[in-house]
Amino acid sequence: MLKRKVTHSIKKWINSKNKKCLVIQGARQTGKTYIVERFAEENYEEIVEINFKQIPSAMDIFSGDLTVDNMVMAMRFRFPEKKIIPGKSLIFLDEIQECPEARTALKFFKTDGRYDVIGTGSLLGVKGYGKEPKSVPVGYETVITMYPLDFEEFLWANGINEMLIEKLKEHLIAKTPVEEALHNRYRQLLLQYVAVGGMPDVVQTFVDTKQMNIVLQMQRDIVRSYEDDMVKYANSKDKSLIKECFQS
């Protein structure tokens, strides 16, 4: 499992006193789903995961009265193997931008206070993309933005010792030269980071295989999926212009 800085923010959320619902937003394929699933495994007895892209019919859970008891009862009907116990179960609403009523429902989960809820989504807050919620639960959710791996996270992924990373930071703060051997190793890693980028799957593949041809194909697939996503919600007359703008 790649070590990610966002895990610290999620731990801070779970230990907060006046806990709100948590929303993790960010570009596609930055690892939002993966990080929540791993976090749930370590901190809850069960996870009730609803991916609205994968199971669009699950939107029916939020089509009636948005009382917590009604929504939880609908989840139990939908997932009879799940117990959904307050304080022990995490309700995970993945791709929440596809179900605006689920985003609105976060207000009622927060007010009720019995269940921990995390929602993840891309394009949240981008006007015109996805389905607009009737009411964004401002004040009832904690929003975290997740990015691709930064250089420090890339160093962690490559097994660089924490002490060596701190030593580099000290040199950077003091603006003093780094020892030649250390400089050459970090220079090599920085060039690798520039070439590989920070998408979790791509980084993991590079660390495991060191095969740049595989890495390049994965990068191309991600760029292609981004292009497809950009034009999904656009007006027909704008689609070709949006693609041309991105490709330029």
Side-chain angles (χ1 to χ4, degrees), residues 57-72:
S57 60
M59 296 181 195
D60 289 347
I61 293 169
F62 304 91
S63 61
D65 293 336
L66 295 180
T67 63
V68 170
D69 286 337
N70 277 354
M71 291 184 286
V72 170

Side-chain angles (χ1 to χ4, degrees), residues 31-194:
K32 300 184 297 296
T33 301
Y34 181 83
I35 208 76
V36 173
E37 288 174 344
R38 297 292 81 76
F39 184 80
E41 284 179 6
E42 295 171 4
N43 293 276
Y44 294 90
E45 289 185 12
E46 72 169 4
I47 177 172
V48 184
E49 183 172 351
I50 304 173
N51 184 313
F52 293 110
K53 271 188 174 294
Q54 191 176 36
I55 318 172
S57 60
M59 296 181 195
D60 289 347
I61 293 169
F62 304 91
S63 61
D65 293 336
L66 295 180
T67 63
V68 170
D69 286 337
N70 277 354
M71 291 184 286
V72 170
M73 187 184 299
M75 288 178 197
R76 287 187 177 126
F77 275 120
R78 180 86 198 195
F79 308 103
E81 74 281 6
K82 299 294 184 181
K83 296 178 181 178
I84 316 182
I85 304 168
K88 296 183 178 180
S89 304
L90 174 69
I91 297 172
F92 176 27
L93 308 176
D94 200 8
E95 302 286 1
I96 198 171
Q97 77 280 353
E98 298 294 322
C99 183
E101 290 79 12
R103 183 84 186 274
T104 301
L106 297 182
K107 174 180 179 179
F108 305 108
F109 276 111
K110 160 61 178 85
T111 304
D112 181 271
R114 284 178 289 166
Y115 299 92
D116 286 358
V117 182
I118 296 180
T120 61
S122 55
L123 304 171
L124 294 175
V126 181
K127 197 73 175 172
Y129 283 82
K131 302 165 186 174
E132 299 277 338
K134 293 176 183 176
S135 171
V136 176
V138 177
Y140 297 90
E141 58 183 18
T142 298
V143 180
I144 296 173
T145 302
M146 189 170 176
Y147 299 96
L149 278 78
D150 63 20
F151 184 51
E152 185 174 14
E153 290 172 314
F154 185 78
L155 294 177
W156 293 339
N158 281 275
I160 302 302
N161 187 290
E162 194 72 49
M163 186 179 69
L164 292 177
I165 295 174
E166 289 304 316
K167 189 174 178 62
L168 176 62
K169 287 180 182 178
E170 289 171 10
H171 280 289
L172 290 171
I173 293 168
K175 297 182 181 178
T176 53
V178 180
E179 292 87 345
E180 189 67 21
L182 209 55
H183 170 76
N184 290 335
R185 178 63 177 134
Y186 277 127
R187 181 175 178 274
Q188 180 189 39
L189 286 161
L190 181 59
L191 289 172
Q192 289 174 354
Y193 177 62
V194 169

